[in-house]
Amino acid sequence: LALYTQGGQKVLVAEVDPHRVELLGAERAQLSAIQFWTETEFTTIPARLGLINASPKDKQELFLYLFDPEQRYEVKNYENVFPPTNIKVDFKMKERVGEFYNAIYDRILKQKPRAFLNEFAWWSEGCGQPCPTPALELHELLSLGGDVFEQYVPEEEKNPKPPDLTKEEEDEFKATLEGKTPKEKREAKKTFEEERQTVASRKVLVERQKYNVTRLHYRYDAKTLTDDPKIGPAPDALVGGIWVPEGSDGHVSTEVKHGGKANRYQVRFNNFHPSIVVAKCDTPQKWRWGKAPRTYRGLRKIWIADDLTRKSRTQINPAEVVQTAIPWLGLKAALPVVDDGGADAAVDGGGATGKKGGGCGCQFPGRTRGGAWLGGLGLAWVVWRRPRRRRILRLRSR
């Protein structure tokens, strides 16, 4: 600990309450979260402390979630790498995203052993495109540290004056008072004003609690985690993993573009399957991408790569299931997408996109089954940033 205390950092010691440990299986338990906050500039994550209990044979996982009202973040003393996104994979990967992603990451680490994966950058009001899970709700943002920021908000900003009532609203309220006694009218008016104030206060609260969410991920051991990671603002926004397939071959962009006004970046994979529907019109509108066809009998959900610390990293061989070439990882397109002669394709949760054809307007479902941005478990630090360099940090150790 001397390296940290000499640098002015404090040491937090927490005792585990055995009654608040969640058992996850044989020899595995999940601890309750620890949350603290500080106004001190906090840019270095003391992740090397976790190596004290590291097994020589196993690697550890570090997940960083950073919330900032203006920008995304990145690691400054390690390489920032973007995993393959929007690539086509064999349909059997649909329910095995975790195993597949673990295998992809190990392949990345062979080439870039000091690579932090940039996996997600999106506004907190959204959750990806399409969304594998609901967006973060207000109470979740507050429990992650937003409640601390509220301590610094002036009262007049917390409780603004409600807007003036319109004539229609006044008439509607007066109608509710008809037939009441003077005392009941006074109580009704008081309740009405309190409710209006509550609505006004909650509206501005929701507007304040909006952030850019960044997710960083590193798989490491004592040899590769030579320094504690330093985090800092990224120079630009990211866009990637959001485009839907087009045309008869289901081509889709796998680019990650820098710049733009907003972060809209995720890691997802596309699954394809042929449609058995026969178009029964003279001029069908082909290659329109939408939801899964009616003939599909599987679960209509987006599978995510969760619980990565327990998912196998060796059961899946990426070279056998990747259908989009990834040259920088030495992966070729293993299996061609079957051309079904004009069926549409679908990405989970996506609406119909692409060029519209003319004719009778007949359209039919097709052959893809959507993507997923990545979830996961492990050692996670959540770092918040608000103006004036305030920081909130949350440690989740699993």
Side-chain angles (χ1 to χ4, degrees):
L1 297 176
L3 177 66
Y4 302 101
T5 56
Q6 292 172 4
Q9 294 192 32
K10 305 296 182 182
V11 178
L12 172 66
V13 179
E15 182 179 1
V16 176
D17 182 352
H19 299 291
R20 301 192 66 180
V21 174
E22 180 183 356
L23 299 179
L24 301 179
E27 300 182 353
R28 288 183 64 89
Q30 177 174 295
L31 305 183
S32 57
I34 299 173
Q35 181 186 44
F36 72 92
W37 63 273
T38 176
E39 294 184 14
T40 304
E41 184 74 9
F42 198 95
T43 59
T44 301
I45 306 299
R48 285 184 56 81
L49 286 175
L51 295 173
I52 296 174
N53 67 334
S55 169
K57 298 181 180 180
D58 297 328
K59 292 183 179 292
Q60 293 191 344
E61 307 273 341
L62 175 67
F63 296 91
L64 296 172
Y65 293 85
L66 303 106
F67 297 73
D68 187 288
E70 300 173 356
Q71 58 201 2
R72 69 180 181 91
Y73 276 69
E74 64 183 10
V75 179
K76 296 300 183 179
N77 57 338
Y78 285 81
E79 185 177 2
N80 291 275
V81 174
F82 303 105
T85 182
N86 235 14
I87 62 172
K88 305 172 188 176
V89 296
D90 189 272
F91 186 66
K92 64 184 179 182
M93 291 299 97
K94 182 172 73 77
E95 300 180 19
R96 305 187 67 185
V97 184
E99 290 92 337
F100 171 70
Y101 189 68
N102 273 343
I104 284 286
Y105 195 179
D106 277 353
R107 201 176 186 99
I108 294 174
L109 288 177
K110 287 182 179 180
Q111 296 190 22
K112 302 177 182 293
R114 289 173 58 84
F116 265 76
L117 298 190
N118 290 240
E119 295 177 337
F120 188 79
W122 209 282
W123 197 239
S124 60
E125 289 182 293
C127 48
Q129 182 178 315
C131 286
T133 57
L136 288 169
E137 298 183 4
L138 178 60
H139 71 278
E140 293 173 317
L141 292 169
L142 292 174
S143 68
L144 285 170
D147 56 340
V148 178
F149 295 141
E150 290 300 311
Q151 299 178 24
Y152 297 90
V153 180
E155 285 300 319
E156 58 272 19
E157 186 176 338
K158 285 185 178 179
N159 300 295
K161 180 181 178 181
D164 295 334
L165 292 174
T166 64
K167 187 177 184 308
E168 291 77 8
E169 290 173 333
E170 289 182 356
D171 294 341
E172 183 178 351
F173 176 65
K174 289 179 180 179
T176 64
L177 299 179
E178 294 180 0
K180 295 182 180 294
T181 65
K183 181 179 179 180
E184 291 173 337
K185 289 181 180 180
R186 289 193 300 270
E187 293 178 349
K189 185 175 181 180
K190 180 181 178 181
T191 301
F192 180 66
E193 292 299 330
E194 290 176 348
E195 290 177 349
R196 293 185 66 235
Q197 182 61 63
T198 299
V199 171
S201 300
R202 289 184 178 178
K203 281 185 177 180
V204 294
L205 173 61
V206 171
E207 288 300 315
R208 284 195 302 270
Q209 296 294 327
K210 293 182 179 180
Y211 305 91
N212 281 284
V213 182
T214 304
R215 172 181 162 121
L216 306 175
H217 177 194
Y218 189 37
R219 177 175 293 163
Y220 63 90
D221 53 26
K223 294 181 180 179
T224 56
L225 190 70
T226 57
D227 305 289
D228 286 324
K230 299 180 183 297
I231 58 174
D236 51 24
L238 286 180
V239 178
I242 64 173
W243 298 284
V244 298
E246 298 178 350
S248 60
D249 60 351
H251 174 75
V252 61
S253 174
T254 60
E255 290 184 277
V256 177
K257 299 180 180 180
H258 291 259
K261 297 181 179 179
N263 287 295
R264 299 179 65 219
Y265 164 70
Q266 65 188 354
V267 174
R268 74 176 182 185
F269 309 111
N270 296 328
N271 301 131
F272 288 75
H273 60 84
S275 172
I276 61 174
V277 176
V278 177
K280 297 181 179 181
C281 64
D282 296 333
T283 56
Q285 296 179 6
K286 301 179 180 180
W287 313 119
R288 297 189 59 172
W289 299 73
K291 297 182 180 180
R294 295 178 181 178
T295 54
Y296 179 71
R297 294 294 179 263
L299 291 177
R300 294 174 179 266
K301 61 174 288 185
I302 301 174
W303 298 83
I304 62 175
D306 59 355
D307 200 7
L308 294 178
T309 59
R310 292 197 293 167
K311 295 294 175 64
S312 170
R313 289 160 31 200
T314 58
Q315 289 185 2
I316 303 296
N317 182 0
E320 297 177 354
V321 297
V322 169
Q323 297 178 352
T324 301
I326 312 174
W328 68 282
L329 288 181
L331 293 173
K332 300 179 180 180
L335 298 172
V337 177
V338 178
D339 189 338
D340 55 15
D344 291 348
V347 176
D348 284 348
T353 60
K355 296 182 179 180
K356 298 181 179 180
C360 66
C362 171
Q363 51 183 295
F364 47 98
R367 57 178 183 176
T368 75
R369 192 66 188 146
W373 69 278
L374 301 175
L377 300 177
L379 178 68
W381 296 78
V382 177
V383 182
W384 293 70
R385 178 181 178 275
R386 289 289 282 182
R388 303 180 185 174
R389 295 184 176 181
R390 297 175 184 145
R391 291 291 193 276
I392 296 295
L393 187 144
R394 174 182 176 90
L395 170 64
R396 303 181 67 191
S397 181
R398 297 182 176 181

